[in-house]
Amino acid sequence: MAAIDPGPPPSDIITSNDKLEFYGLDESDLDKVFRLPTTTFIGGSESTLPLREIIQRLEMAYCQSIGVEFMFINDLEQCQWIRQKFERPGIMQFTLEEKRTLLARMVRSTRFEEFLQRKWSSEKRFGLEGCESLIPALKTIIDKSSMNGVESIIMGMPHRGRLNVLANVIRKELDQIFCQFDSKLEAADEGSGDVKYHLGMWHRRINRVTDRNITLSLMANPSHLEAVDPVVQGKTKAEQFYCGDTEGNRVMSILLHGDAAFAGQGVVYETFHLSDLPSYTTHGTIHVVVNNQIGFTTDPRVARSSSYPTDVAKVVNAPIFHVNADDPEAVMYVCNVAAEWRATFHKDVVVDLVCYRRNGHNEMDEPMFTQPLMYKQIKKQKGVLQKYAEKLIAEGAVTRQEYEEEIAKYDKICEEAHARSKDEKILHIKHWLDSPWPGFFNMDGQPKSMTSPSTGLTEEELGHIGHIASSVPVEDFTIHGGLSRILKGRAAMVGQRVCDWALGEYMAFGSLLKEGTHIRLSGQDVERGTFSHRHHVLHDQNVDKRICIPMNHIAPNQAPYTVCNSSLSEYGVLGFELGFAMASPNALVLWEAQFGDFHNTAQCIIDQFICPGQAKWVRQNGIVLLLPHGMEGMGPEHSSARPERFLQMCNEDPDAYPKFSAEEFAVRQLYDCNWIIVNCSTPANYFHVLRRQILQPFRKPLIVFTPKSLLRHPDAKSSFDDMLPGTHFQRLIPDSGPVCEKPDGVKRIVFCTGKVYYELTRERKNRGMDNTVAIARIEQLSPFPFDQVKVETGRYPNADLVWCQEEHKNQGYYDYVKPRLRTTVDRTRPVWYAGRGPAAAPATGNKAAHLVELQRFLDTAFNLDAFTGQS
């Protein structure tokens, strides 16, 4: 046996004298059997007990190589269920056919890695050597789950063993895998691509054991370990939702982990805590930990404080099955039990495959630098396939000739696939798509059209949705008095044919729901809204837990509206919503940060998935991020959503004017960009951009910097006229005031975005400069509206150009906007800056200082001599 985890402490397993007698033990045996080092390494320190002695003692107390942790579970029925599965003699009985199938799977798992090593010995592949039993483990879980009625399984895993899983579990064509090693392969047909051990795959096939169809999806993911966990859960939840699987009987998830990452990465904990929340549960996930007892070069004794790498699973009362990965039959048994547990209780379960890593972190890495004794022993270790084959041959289950024929058969398959792979000339990333959207694109993967319809609504539709937004569509439902005043205010706005921010959002959501688009809004406190402006969930003041969601009363055949307060998590929840948005292009999925700067605790999801996802994995996604942003004098926290970070990651060339025709300029820009970034200054424009997100013929992430003070600003209201048929999202809102009468007399045009527009217009009015200073709002920052900016600058030929922002100079939009403005005017006119100076913090913590800074940059914006003599 390769390595063994000594299992849980005695109190977790043996709880009575009856059990001691059952196992043939007495009290004196407990110390001998269980009180061993937390994890015993091959070739560990000299004080470590011999591996043979540990194994012998474990086999006395357990059914061969299995250790179970479950006594922390506070449910007697569940505990008794586990006891029945493990505390009976002779539980691991396999038929001859099962043993032969297991051997064949071990052959494929082992020989695949050996084939890659022979052909590409100097290539990184993050092989599975040392834990080859992972492949039959996964196939056993899939077989059992299929038998229990599961039709679709979404999987997430790190890079180690991914190619083997793709080949032998998902059944990706071997020639498509082998051609990835060809250095002469031409660049991808679209996108920039990713390394082969990050790619995913979607495949629908017949399960040979159950003879039933099953869909397997392995999600593409970055090197950031465990980051894919919540993404998998979100996609699983979405597939369950769309097929009406309210109990998780048809769709499930499997997550693979490494021991160091499972213990070390906080997103594991965040994801576990979503597992039993009503709007996030996937009704049980099977977690498989490839516990090779090392993290890159780090010894477990300095990598975690817990006894086991799996202890984090105890927070949700998930049973933990430790099993020696060098005992394939024990692995198979445990995986069967894990699948049964999930089918029975619809709760998470963990399989801890205690194994080793035969090579270094990758095939080029030298592990002897840091673990010399361990790797001396590993080099002597007989492979698990050889050991299991010898066991079956000794039992008479197979002959040596049959074993060798099985090896030769798979080797031939690999050789033939290798020969075919040489015919591949181009790397097609779309062949590795993990989330296809059948029917959304043409056969060639292109949009069915390149036009976006009008996003306006009829007067009747606006009035109807406004009525729903300002009423309680349930009888005998008592709402809070303060909320009654809010609803009356909405009704008054509808009567006046205007809307504020909350009502504009209501109009967008309600109309899309009526048109059949499911909407899911998630985040901290989104039901009410951080700033108490939304109120999409009404609470009866007299009946506990009685709620009403008026948005679900728009029309008889509308799509459902899901609005859910999340746990206090950003990384896990944003990843979850990203996964949910992957499942279907026909849903508007939004995540709102409580405050815009809170997105930085989910930066990994933004940087590794949302921003480059299409370029790396040819995977479009229409997720929307709502990030409250604005300098309100409330201190450095909660002020800035860090727009500069999002803008820095845009794939647009600031020095090149796009060469598109006028008719398709806007839509072509959207199609080519990696994400859309807007900062709307009116409720109507916010309404339009939300509707455009669904009505446009492709999907791109949408980043919206949403307001705070503008939510109730008396001037931040829109007329219904701006939302009627024929209206649309305005990428740039030009000045429509007195400056239009004599544009030649305009001395300055100030470009801005967002809330600062209202401060600029107030200051301009106070200074009596309505005829000499034009103010234009750039509502869509990415892709940049070059064409409309060009029109606006050409309208005022004698005006100097100023960019004004409330953010500090090294933050906000200036560094992004300036080169694009310069490109628009062919670098013939300078672009001046009016705003706060550079700073380390996003905002001052002193209200008086905030107001002084505000007045200073407004003075600069309207001082027509401010830039005289500068170059």
Side-chain angles (χ1 to χ4, degrees):
M1 290 189 178
I4 210 73
D5 189 320
S11 61
D12 279 5
I13 296 296
I14 299 178
T15 57
S16 69
N17 290 330
D18 290 341
K19 288 195 175 185
L20 291 176
E21 184 177 347
F22 178 85
Y23 287 118
L25 304 173
D26 57 37
E27 293 286 349
S28 64
D29 287 314
L30 288 179
D31 288 341
K32 299 175 186 176
V33 176
F34 291 100
R35 292 180 185 167
L36 303 172
T38 299
T39 304
T40 302
F41 301 92
I42 304 171
S45 63
E46 293 181 2
S47 62
T48 300
L49 289 173
L51 185 59
R52 181 179 303 166
E53 185 176 350
I54 295 170
I55 295 168
Q56 289 172 346
R57 294 179 180 184
L58 282 170
E59 288 179 342
M60 287 173 58
Y62 293 105
C63 42
Q64 298 195 17
S65 305
I66 303 169
V68 186
E69 288 186 86
F70 68 98
M71 290 304 293
F72 53 84
I73 297 175
N74 55 8
D75 185 296
L76 181 60
E77 179 191 358
Q78 294 175 11
C79 290
Q80 295 288 28
W81 188 93
I82 294 172
R83 288 191 179 104
Q84 288 296 315
K85 297 295 180 183
F86 290 98
E87 297 184 2
R88 291 182 292 112
I91 55 171
M92 289 204 305
Q93 301 295 324
F94 298 99
T95 66
L96 178 62
E97 186 61 30
E98 287 173 332
K99 291 182 178 182
R100 293 171 72 95
T101 298
L102 179 54
L103 178 65
R105 290 173 171 180
M106 288 300 305
V107 166
R108 287 174 173 255
S109 175
T110 304
R111 298 300 287 183
F112 177 82
E113 299 293 353
E114 292 177 358
F115 183 84
L116 295 184
Q117 182 61 27
R118 286 198 308 273
K119 296 294 184 181
W120 298 282
S121 59
S122 60
E123 282 273 353
K124 288 182 183 179
R125 55 185 168 82
F126 295 94
L128 198 54
E129 291 94 336
C131 194
E132 292 90 344
S133 57
L134 173 66
I135 300 304
L138 293 176
K139 292 178 81 69
T140 298
I141 292 170
I142 292 167
D143 292 344
K144 191 69 174 181
S145 299
S146 176
M147 198 176 300
N148 289 328
V150 171
E151 300 167 0
S152 179
I153 298 177
I154 296 94
M155 299 170 60
M157 69 176 296
H159 39 277
R160 184 163 313 287
R162 176 176 284 261
L163 296 181
N164 207 324
V165 170
L166 283 165
N168 290 313
V169 178
I170 309 296
R171 294 191 198 161
K172 176 73 177 172
E173 298 92 334
L174 291 178
D175 51 308
Q176 289 291 322
I177 295 175
F178 295 159
C179 75
Q180 293 277 333
F181 288 89
D182 186 354
S183 59
K184 297 187 178 74
L185 210 60
E186 293 180 22
D189 45 0
E190 61 175 296
S192 54
D194 201 351
V195 293
K196 50 191 168 287
Y197 41 80
H198 287 169
L199 299 175
M201 174 63 184
W202 178 94
H203 190 204
R204 183 167 177 79
R205 62 174 176 81
I206 293 288
N207 180 280
R208 292 170 184 165
V209 173
T210 62
D211 200 33
R212 295 175 179 175
N213 276 319
I214 191 160
T215 300
L216 301 177
S217 175
L218 177 63
M219 304 298 290
N221 63 269
S223 284
H224 297 61
L225 297 173
E226 308 295 344
V228 79
D229 296 1
V231 181
V232 167
Q233 301 296 60
K235 188 181 179 204
T236 304
K237 182 67 174 179
E239 291 203 8
Q240 291 173 347
F241 176 83
Y242 293 128
C243 73
D245 183 16
T246 57
E247 300 295 330
N249 293 319
R250 297 167 57 192
V251 182
M252 64 172 283
S253 57
I254 300 175
L255 286 175
L256 279 68
H257 314 268
D259 53 318
F262 199 60
Q265 291 293 323
V267 71
V268 175
Y269 183 88
E270 291 187 38
T271 305
F272 265 120
H273 269 290
L274 297 176
S275 67
D276 206 27
L277 303 182
S279 296
Y280 301 87
T281 181
T282 56
H283 309 286
T285 296
I286 299 178
H287 301 263
V288 180
V289 179
V290 177
N291 183 358
N292 52 37
Q293 306 180 80
I294 190 170
F296 203 152
T297 67
T298 303
D299 191 301
R301 287 169 285 199
V302 295
R304 64 176 187 265
S305 296
S306 61
S307 298
Y308 304 104
T310 53
D311 282 351
V312 64
K314 294 180 180 179
V315 300
V316 292
N317 285 331
I320 303 165
F321 305 142
H322 306 279
V323 58
N324 179 10
D326 260 20
D327 186 341
E329 291 183 4
V331 170
M332 185 176 174
Y333 180 78
V334 161
C335 288
N336 266 312
V337 173
E340 283 186 50
W341 167 273
R342 195 263 171 195
T344 304
F345 298 106
H346 294 284
K347 294 177 67 69
D348 285 36
V349 58
V350 178
V351 176
D352 181 20
L353 293 179
V354 185
C355 58
Y356 60 96
R357 191 187 68 196
R358 187 168 288 277
N359 300 312
H361 178 65
N362 60 64
E363 288 67 29
M364 303 294 98
D365 191 47
E366 176 51 77
M368 294 286 285
F369 289 147
T370 51
Q371 276 77 28
L373 297 181
M374 184 180 190
Y375 274 86
K376 283 179 183 178
Q377 289 296 107
I378 287 175
K379 286 181 179 179
K380 301 175 186 176
Q381 191 74 9
K382 188 183 291 186
V384 60
L385 172 61
Q386 184 182 349
K387 288 197 292 185
Y388 188 56
E390 290 173 354
K391 175 180 180 293
L392 294 190
I393 291 169
E395 292 177 1
V398 297
T399 65
R400 183 164 296 280
Q401 180 180 348
E402 288 172 325
Y403 167 58
E404 291 172 352
E405 286 174 354
E406 189 69 33
I407 289 176
K409 175 183 172 184
Y410 188 68
D411 286 354
K412 182 182 178 183
I413 291 172
C414 289
E415 289 291 353
E416 290 173 349
H418 180 242
R420 290 194 304 274
S421 73
K422 295 177 181 178
D423 296 332
E424 293 288 340
K425 304 300 180 185
I426 298 176
L427 172 62
H428 297 283
I429 304 176
K430 62 187 177 186
H431 291 169
W432 299 77
L433 192 61
D434 61 14
S435 302
W437 293 338
F440 186 69
F441 299 109
N442 289 325
M443 293 297 292
D444 60 359
Q446 297 301 306
K448 291 185 175 180
S449 72
M450 285 300 286
T451 59
S452 293
S454 168
T455 47
L457 298 175
T458 66
E459 186 90 26
E460 181 183 5
E461 288 175 308
L462 294 173
H464 173 67
I465 297 169
H467 171 71
I468 296 294
S470 55
S471 62
V472 182
V474 177
E475 294 182 359
D476 300 323
F477 195 98
T478 306
I479 61 174
H480 190 274
L483 188 52
S484 295
R485 290 190 293 273
I486 291 173
L487 298 187
K488 287 179 182 177
R490 287 182 183 172
M493 283 191 288
V494 173
Q496 297 163 11
R497 300 184 67 256
V498 298
C499 67
D500 62 4
W501 212 269
L503 190 53
E505 181 181 77
Y506 219 107
M507 298 292 191
F509 285 6
S511 59
L512 289 172
L513 291 167
K514 186 172 181 289
E515 293 163 8
T517 298
H518 169 240
I519 297 177
R520 177 182 169 94
L521 172 62
S522 165
Q524 294 158 25
D525 310 297
V526 296
E527 295 178 6
R528 190 203 74 172
T530 300
F531 310 103
S532 196
H533 68 290
R534 181 173 287 127
H535 298 288
H536 283 187
V537 179
L538 310 181
H539 294 260
D540 194 309
Q541 299 297 295
N542 299 322
V543 183
D544 186 34
K545 297 181 181 179
R546 188 184 184 209
I547 63 171
C548 171
I549 302 176
M551 200 86 76
N552 279 323
H553 296 262
I554 299 287
N557 298 317
Q558 70 168 80
Y561 176 49
T562 304
V563 55
C564 44
N565 289 341
S566 73
S567 64
L568 200 65
S569 155
E570 289 85 26
Y571 189 169
V573 173
L574 178 56
F576 188 98
E577 301 309 331
L578 177 72
F580 200 103
M582 285 177 188
S584 171
N586 302 314
L588 184 65
V589 180
L590 309 95
W591 175 77
E592 183 175 68
Q594 192 178 63
F595 289 92
D597 51 348
F598 287 0
H599 77 75
N600 58 19
T601 59
Q603 200 69 45
C604 178
I605 298 296
I606 295 168
D607 289 355
Q608 310 308 132
F609 289 88
I610 299 177
C611 171
Q614 184 177 353
K616 292 196 295 186
W617 306 316
V618 198
R619 184 170 70 191
Q620 292 193 17
N621 195 293
I623 191 170
V624 180
L625 273 61
L626 304 179
L627 307 177
H629 171 83
M631 309 294 114
E632 314 281 5
M634 302 304 291
E637 317 306 331
H638 311 334
S639 290
S640 176
R642 295 292 190 176
E644 64 277 3
R645 295 182 180 171
F646 291 92
L647 293 170
Q648 182 190 37
M649 292 189 283
C650 295
N651 64 351
E652 182 180 72
D653 187 348
D655 302 318
Y657 191 94
K659 293 180 172 59
F660 301 130
S661 67
E663 295 77 18
E664 63 176 13
F665 196 99
V667 72
R668 277 287 168 190
Q669 274 197 306
L670 291 173
Y671 183 72
D672 288 348
C673 75
N674 62 316
W675 55 14
I676 303 165
I677 300 176
V678 301
N679 188 357
C680 301
S681 61
T682 71
N685 232 17
Y686 178 51
F687 158 86
H688 283 298
V689 81
L690 291 176
R691 284 184 51 77
R692 185 185 73 173
Q693 186 70 1
I694 285 295
L695 297 179
Q696 65 191 5
F698 45 80
R699 295 292 174 261
K700 300 285 179 173
L702 172 63
I703 314 300
V704 186
F705 300 119
T706 56
K708 294 175 288 182
S709 62
L710 292 192
L711 295 173
R712 295 177 175 83
H713 196 291
D715 295 333
K717 288 185 170 66
S718 294
S719 167
F720 280 14
D721 291 337
D722 297 327
M723 303 160 73
L724 294 175
T727 59
H728 58 272
F729 174 73
Q730 292 182 272
R731 294 176 291 144
L732 180 148
I733 302 179
D735 198 322
S736 58
V739 291
C740 297
E741 299 173 7
K742 293 183 179 180
D744 290 348
V746 173
K747 302 299 183 185
R748 174 168 295 172
I749 176 171
V750 178
F751 288 96
C752 66
T753 189
K755 176 180 75 73
V756 73
Y757 166 77
Y758 293 93
E759 286 150 347
L760 286 167
T761 54
R762 185 188 66 235
E763 187 71 15
R764 181 177 65 176
K765 182 178 181 180
N766 291 341
R767 292 173 180 254
M769 302 179 73
D770 288 348
N771 295 303
T772 54
V773 177
I775 302 174
R777 289 168 273 177
I778 297 180
E779 303 277 290
Q780 178 179 289
L781 293 143
S782 171
F784 192 74
F786 286 96
D787 55 333
Q788 294 185 339
V789 171
K790 187 171 186 176
V791 170
E792 200 66 8
T793 54
R795 182 177 295 158
Y796 308 106
N798 301 318
D800 54 21
L801 310 181
V802 173
W803 173 259
C804 182
Q805 65 179 38
E806 60 180 351
E807 297 82 5
H808 291 282
K809 190 173 185 179
N810 59 323
Q811 300 166 33
Y813 321 91
Y814 177 60
D815 288 337
Y816 172 87
V817 169
K818 181 179 179 179
R820 287 164 173 80
L821 282 174
R822 294 274 289 154
T823 296
T824 303
V825 297
D826 297 324
R827 297 170 183 78
T828 57
R829 297 156 73 178
V831 177
W832 306 111
Y833 172 76
R836 290 179 167 88
T844 177
N846 182 282
K847 183 72 172 183
H850 165 79
L851 295 174
V852 168
E853 292 172 352
L854 171 62
Q855 191 57 51
R856 185 183 297 133
F857 78 71
L858 290 175
D859 289 343
T860 303
F862 291 101
N863 181 357
L864 299 182
D865 299 321
F867 307 112
T868 303
Q870 297 185 32
S871 59

